[in-house]
Amino acid sequence: MGLRPQALIEGLDGLPAPGPWHRTRPGCYSAGAGSRRIEIEVSALPDRHLGQLHLPVSAVTLSFHGLDAEARCAFQQAFNRRFQRGGG
């Protein structure tokens, strides 16, 4: 993703998750408990350089546990809208 890990973490509140977000270990965040939860791992990658422009890049992995297809889809759509950049 084209953002820094901190920007992703700050943008998690308000997403349709099965509970509040909490940090489980460095770079890993979880919402929900037991078998119903969403986990996000995020780590910074080297910036992309386009001439004098430097763009932040992060590797992001979403893991869904115990959520039905409707809940996963709702979260993914909200996540994509929240972190959409640019226009197209």
Side-chain angles (χ1 to χ4, degrees), residues 3-74:
L3 48 64
R4 301 219 182 279
Q6 189 61 36
L8 179 122
I9 294 157
E10 291 169 356
L12 292 177
D13 288 335
L15 292 177
W21 291 98
H22 61 277
R23 185 177 145 193
T24 58
R25 62 185 191 277
C28 296
Y29 297 83
S30 181
S35 63
R36 287 186 38 83
R37 68 186 188 287
I38 299 170
E39 296 176 341
I40 295 179
E41 284 190 59
V42 59
S43 59
L45 296 174
D47 285 357
R48 297 266 165 82
H49 302 278
L50 301 169
Q52 293 184 350
L53 181 63
H54 297 242
L55 301 173
V57 180
S58 294
V60 178
T61 302
L62 301 174
S63 300
F64 300 94
H65 305 277
L67 300 174
D68 61 24
E70 186 176 323
R72 289 189 309 265
C73 184

